[in-house]
C-alpha cells in the first residue's frame, strides 16, 4: 500500500515538473486576481494628461455605458472637461454644438458622429448627460466633445466652407465646386481617379488659407481659423487614405494620434485645459501596436509622445452578444462569443462571480507571481464592426495577442455584455 502511495506521489511530482502543472499556482493566481480587482463603481484613476478607454467590441451597450462611467468620474472628481471619440472630426463638432445647447435631439447628435456603431440609445444617453451638465455651468467650465477620426467628408466640408464664406466667399465658391467628388454618399465607392484629382485642390486651398491667415483671423478669430484648418486637414487625410497607396491602417492611426494631440493643444491654448479623455477600439487605444502586423497604433504614438502621461484602460468580456455587420451579407445583426482558454483574464474574471471589475496593473505589482502573469502574452478580445459567425469559433480572428501590463495600464471586465440598442429611424 505504501509503495503504491509513494509511486503515485512520485509520478505526480514528475508530471508536475514535466508539464508545468502546479495545482496551487492556479489557485494562487485566482486569489491574487481577486485581491487586486474592484467593482467599476470603486475604481480609482490617476491624474494624467490623456486617459484612454478601449472597447472590446463596438456593438455592446456596456462599453458605451462604461465610457460615461469613466468620464463622469474624471469630470466630477478630477475636473476633466474634454471628451474625444473614434469618430468623424466634423461630426464631432456637430455633437459639440448640441451639448453646448444647440438644436436637435441627442439621437440626432449621436448619428452625426458618422459611424453606425454610435447610432445607439446608449450614446444618446451619454450626450444627454453632457448637455445637462453643461446647462448648469458657465462657458469656461463646460464639457467639449471631439471626434479624432477622418473617414467622412460632409460635416468637415460644411464646417470649412461655412467659415470660408464669411472670410473669403470667392475662395469658398471656387473650392466647393472643385471638391464636389469628395462626399459621404460615395466615400466607400468613389472612383480613385476622382479622389486623386481632388487631393491637389484641398492642398491648394490649405496653402491659400495659410497665406491669408492674418487676414482671416482679423475677420473672424484665431479659434475659428484653427477649427477651419482642422476641418480641411481631415478632408485631406481622408482623401489621402482613399486615393493613394499609403498603408491605410498605419496611416489612419497616425492621423488619429495627430488629431488627439491637436485637440489637446487647441484646448490648452483656447481654454486652458490640460487633460482629456479619449475612447476607441482596444486595438487603437493599446500601447504596443499588436493590432495589424507592422501597424503602429494610435496608442503607441501617444505613449511615445507623452510617456506615462498617457494612461490606457482596456476592456474585456467573458461572454458577449453584440451587434456587427455580417461579413458576407453586410447585414447588421447579433453575434455571440464566449471566451475560454486556460488562465485567460476573461476566464479568471468569470470565476469571481462579479458583474464588472476594474484591475489597475500598477497595484498588482505587489503580487509578484500575478504581475509576472500579466507580463506574458495572451488573447484579448478586439472585435470591430465587421464579423462572421465562424469567427467566433477561431479565437485568433476576434482577439489580439497582447501583453496586458504593457498594452494597458488597467483593464475593465464585463462578465456578460449585451447588444447595443439602436436608435429607431
Amino acid at each position: 500500500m505504501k509503495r503504491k502511495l509513494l509511486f503515485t506521489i512520485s509520478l505526480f511530482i514528475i508530471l508536475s515538473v514535466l508539464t508545468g502543472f502546479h495545482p496551487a499556482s492556479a489557485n494562487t493566481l485566482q486569489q491574487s486576481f481577486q485581491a487586486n480587482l474592484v467593482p467599476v463603481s470603486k475604481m480609482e484613476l490617476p491624474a494624467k494628461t490623456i486617459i484612454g478607454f478601449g472597447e472590446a467590441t463596438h456593438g455592446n451597450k456596456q462599453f458605451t455605458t462604461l465610457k460615461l462611467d469613466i468620464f463622469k468620474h474624471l469630470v466630477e472628481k478630477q475636473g476633466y472637461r474634454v471628451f474625444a471619440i473614434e469618430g468623424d472630426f466634423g461630426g464631432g463638432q456637430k455633437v459639440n454644438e448640441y451639448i453646448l445647447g444647440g438644436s436637435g435631439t441627442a439621437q440626432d447628435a449621436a448619428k452625426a458622429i458618422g459611424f453606425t456603431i454610435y447610432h445607439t440609445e446608449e450614446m444618446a444617453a451619454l450626450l444627454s448627460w453632457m448637455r445637462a451638465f453643461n446647462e448648469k455651468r458657465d462657458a469656461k467650465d463646460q464639457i467639449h466633445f471631439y471626434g479624432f477620426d477622418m473617414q467622412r467628408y460632409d460635416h468637415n466640408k460644411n464646417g470649412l466652407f461655412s467659415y470660408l464664406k464669411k472670410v473669403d466667399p470667392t475662395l469658398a465658391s471656387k473650392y466647393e465646386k472643385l471638391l464636389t467628388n469628395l462626399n459621404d454618399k460615395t466615400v466607400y465607392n468613389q472612383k480613385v481617379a476622382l479622389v486623386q484629382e481632388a487631393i491637389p485642390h484641398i492642398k491648394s486651398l490649405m496653402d491659400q488659407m495659410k497665406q491669408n491667415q492674418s487676414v482671416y483671423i482679423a475677420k473672424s478669430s484665431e479659434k475659428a481659423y484653427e477649427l477651419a484648418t482642422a476641418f480641411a486637414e481631415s478632408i485631406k487625410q481622408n482623401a489621402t487614405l482613399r486615393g493613394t497607396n499609403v498603408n491605410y491602417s498605419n496611416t489612419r492611426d497616425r492621423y488619429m494620434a495627430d488629431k488627439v494631440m491637436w485637440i489637446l493643444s487647441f484646448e490648452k491654448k483656447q481654454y486652458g485645459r490640460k487633460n482629456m479623455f479619449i475612447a476607441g477600439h482596444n486595438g487603437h487605444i493599446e500601447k504596443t501596436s499588436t493590432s495589424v502586423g507592422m501597424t503602429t497604433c494610435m496608442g503607441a504614438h501617444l505613449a511615445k509622445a507623452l510617456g506615462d502621461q498617457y494612461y490606457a484602460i482596456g476592456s474585456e468580456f467573458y461572454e458577449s452578444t453584440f451587434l456587427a455587420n455580417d461579413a458576407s451579407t453586410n447585414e447588421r445583426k447579433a453575434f455571440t462569443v464566449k471566451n475560454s482558454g486556460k488562465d485567460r483574464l476573461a476566464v479568471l474574471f468569470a470565476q469571481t462571480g462579479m458583474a464588472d471589475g476594474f484591475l489597475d496593473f500598477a497595484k498588482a505589482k505587489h503580487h509578484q507571481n500575478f504581475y509576472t502573469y500579466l507580463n506574458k502574452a495572451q488573447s484579448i478580445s478586439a472585435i470591430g464592426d465587421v464579423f462572421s459567425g465562424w469567427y467566433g469559433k477561431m479565437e485568433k480572428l476576434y482577439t489580439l495577442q497582447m501583453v496586458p501590463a504593457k498594452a494597458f495600464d488597467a483593464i475593465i471586465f464585463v462578465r456578460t455584455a449585451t447588444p447595443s440598442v439602436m436608435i429607431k429611424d
Side-chain angles (χ1 to χ4, degrees), residues 245-286:
N245 62 355
V246 298
N247 180 300
Y248 195 103
S249 296
N250 201 34
T251 306
R252 178 183 169 224
D253 270 74
R254 178 168 55 83
Y255 284 163
M256 289 196 292
D258 289 345
K259 189 66 77 179
V260 168
M261 295 302 290
W262 179 91
I263 294 166
L264 187 66
S265 175
F266 180 77
E267 281 286 324
K268 183 177 181 179
K269 184 177 181 180
Q270 300 296 334
Y271 303 99
R273 275 81 181 271
K274 297 181 180 180
N275 44 36
M276 62 188 289
F277 172 75
I278 65 174
H281 189 264
N282 265 348
H284 297 307
I285 295 295
E286 63 101 359

Side-chain angles (χ1 to χ4, degrees), residues 306-321:
L306 298 171
D308 68 358
Q309 283 300 305
Y310 175 57
Y311 184 89
I313 306 170
S315 66
E316 180 62 293
F317 59 80
Y318 174 59
E319 54 187 354
S320 171
T321 298

Side-chain angles (χ1 to χ4, degrees), residues 283-308:
H284 297 307
I285 295 295
E286 63 101 359
K287 301 188 290 185
T288 54
S289 296
T290 57
S291 49
V292 185
M294 297 300 291
T295 297
T296 301
C297 70
M298 178 185 73
H301 287 294
L302 296 178
K304 183 178 181 180
L306 298 171
D308 68 358

Side-chain angles (χ1 to χ4, degrees), residues 365-385:
K365 289 181 179 179
H366 299 296
H367 294 78
Q368 187 57 52
N369 290 338
F370 182 51
Y371 194 65
T372 298
Y373 158 77
L374 292 174
N375 277 279
K376 293 181 179 179
Q378 65 168 275
S379 298
I380 301 290
S381 300
I383 296 172
D385 193 40

Side-chain angles (χ1 to χ4, degrees), residues 183-377:
N183 59 77
D184 287 356
K185 185 177 180 180
T186 62
V187 67
Y188 290 123
N189 55 19
Q190 183 60 279
K191 293 179 180 178
V192 174
L194 294 178
V195 179
Q196 291 174 336
E197 184 181 286
I199 292 175
H201 296 318
I202 186 61
K203 288 181 177 179
S204 174
L205 173 56
M206 293 177 71
D207 287 341
Q208 292 182 66
M209 289 177 67
K210 188 173 182 179
Q211 291 170 14
N212 293 317
Q213 178 177 348
S214 59
V215 175
Y216 291 173
I217 290 176
K219 291 183 178 181
S220 56
S221 68
E222 184 180 52
K223 181 174 73 172
Y225 173 82
E226 289 187 5
L227 273 174
T229 59
F231 287 131
E233 184 68 31
S234 294
I235 295 167
K236 184 184 76 172
Q237 289 173 343
N238 194 12
T240 302
L241 289 176
R242 301 181 189 282
T244 70
N245 62 355
V246 298
N247 180 300
Y248 195 103
S249 296
N250 201 34
T251 306
R252 178 183 169 224
D253 270 74
R254 178 168 55 83
Y255 284 163
M256 289 196 292
D258 289 345
K259 189 66 77 179
V260 168
M261 295 302 290
W262 179 91
I263 294 166
L264 187 66
S265 175
F266 180 77
E267 281 286 324
K268 183 177 181 179
K269 184 177 181 180
Q270 300 296 334
Y271 303 99
R273 275 81 181 271
K274 297 181 180 180
N275 44 36
M276 62 188 289
F277 172 75
I278 65 174
H281 189 264
N282 265 348
H284 297 307
I285 295 295
E286 63 101 359
K287 301 188 290 185
T288 54
S289 296
T290 57
S291 49
V292 185
M294 297 300 291
T295 297
T296 301
C297 70
M298 178 185 73
H301 287 294
L302 296 178
K304 183 178 181 180
L306 298 171
D308 68 358
Q309 283 300 305
Y310 175 57
Y311 184 89
I313 306 170
S315 66
E316 180 62 293
F317 59 80
Y318 174 59
E319 54 187 354
S320 171
T321 298
F322 56 91
L323 297 180
N325 285 339
D326 190 302
S328 56
T329 66
N330 204 33
E331 174 191 4
R332 194 163 185 79
K333 65 181 186 180
F335 297 91
T336 298
V337 168
K338 185 174 183 179
N339 279 320
S340 59
K342 183 181 178 182
D343 291 344
R344 273 192 59 185
L345 278 166
V347 178
L348 289 178
F349 173 70
Q351 293 169 359
T352 68
M354 296 171 63
D356 64 45
F358 176 83
L359 178 64
D360 186 325
F361 295 151
K363 293 182 178 180
K365 289 181 179 179
H366 299 296
H367 294 78
Q368 187 57 52
N369 290 338
F370 182 51
Y371 194 65
T372 298
Y373 158 77
L374 292 174
N375 277 279
K376 293 181 179 179

Side-chain angles (χ1 to χ4, degrees), residues 87-255:
D88 176 49
F89 179 78
Q93 288 305 296
K94 297 298 293 183
V95 173
N96 196 51
E97 292 174 13
Y98 169 76
I99 68 169
L100 292 175
S103 61
T105 66
Q107 285 77 10
D108 294 334
K111 290 181 178 181
I113 300 173
F115 304 132
T116 306
I117 59 175
Y118 299 126
H119 297 185
T120 68
E121 292 296 346
E122 294 81 32
M123 181 55 68
L126 186 154
L127 301 181
S128 293
W129 179 85
M130 290 182 175
R131 183 181 172 109
F133 179 92
N134 282 346
E135 287 173 350
K136 302 172 184 176
R137 303 304 195 279
D138 57 32
K140 66 180 181 180
D141 195 39
Q142 291 178 323
I143 292 166
H144 293 163
F145 186 103
Y146 293 88
F148 53 77
D149 209 340
M150 71 307 296
Q151 296 182 97
R152 293 290 185 276
Y153 291 118
D154 290 355
H155 286 309
N156 291 290
K157 287 174 65 177
N158 290 339
L160 172 61
F161 290 117
S162 292
Y163 174 80
L164 287 176
K165 285 174 183 177
K166 296 175 183 177
V167 299
D168 196 337
T170 301
L171 194 74
S173 178
K174 174 183 176 180
Y175 280 96
E176 259 192 315
K177 294 176 183 176
L178 291 173
L179 298 177
T180 299
N181 290 321
L182 302 184
N183 59 77
D184 287 356
K185 185 177 180 180
T186 62
V187 67
Y188 290 123
N189 55 19
Q190 183 60 279
K191 293 179 180 178
V192 174
L194 294 178
V195 179
Q196 291 174 336
E197 184 181 286
I199 292 175
H201 296 318
I202 186 61
K203 288 181 177 179
S204 174
L205 173 56
M206 293 177 71
D207 287 341
Q208 292 182 66
M209 289 177 67
K210 188 173 182 179
Q211 291 170 14
N212 293 317
Q213 178 177 348
S214 59
V215 175
Y216 291 173
I217 290 176
K219 291 183 178 181
S220 56
S221 68
E222 184 180 52
K223 181 174 73 172
Y225 173 82
E226 289 187 5
L227 273 174
T229 59
F231 287 131
E233 184 68 31
S234 294
I235 295 167
K236 184 184 76 172
Q237 289 173 343
N238 194 12
T240 302
L241 289 176
R242 301 181 189 282
T244 70
N245 62 355
V246 298
N247 180 300
Y248 195 103
S249 296
N250 201 34
T251 306
R252 178 183 169 224
D253 270 74
R254 178 168 55 83
Y255 284 163

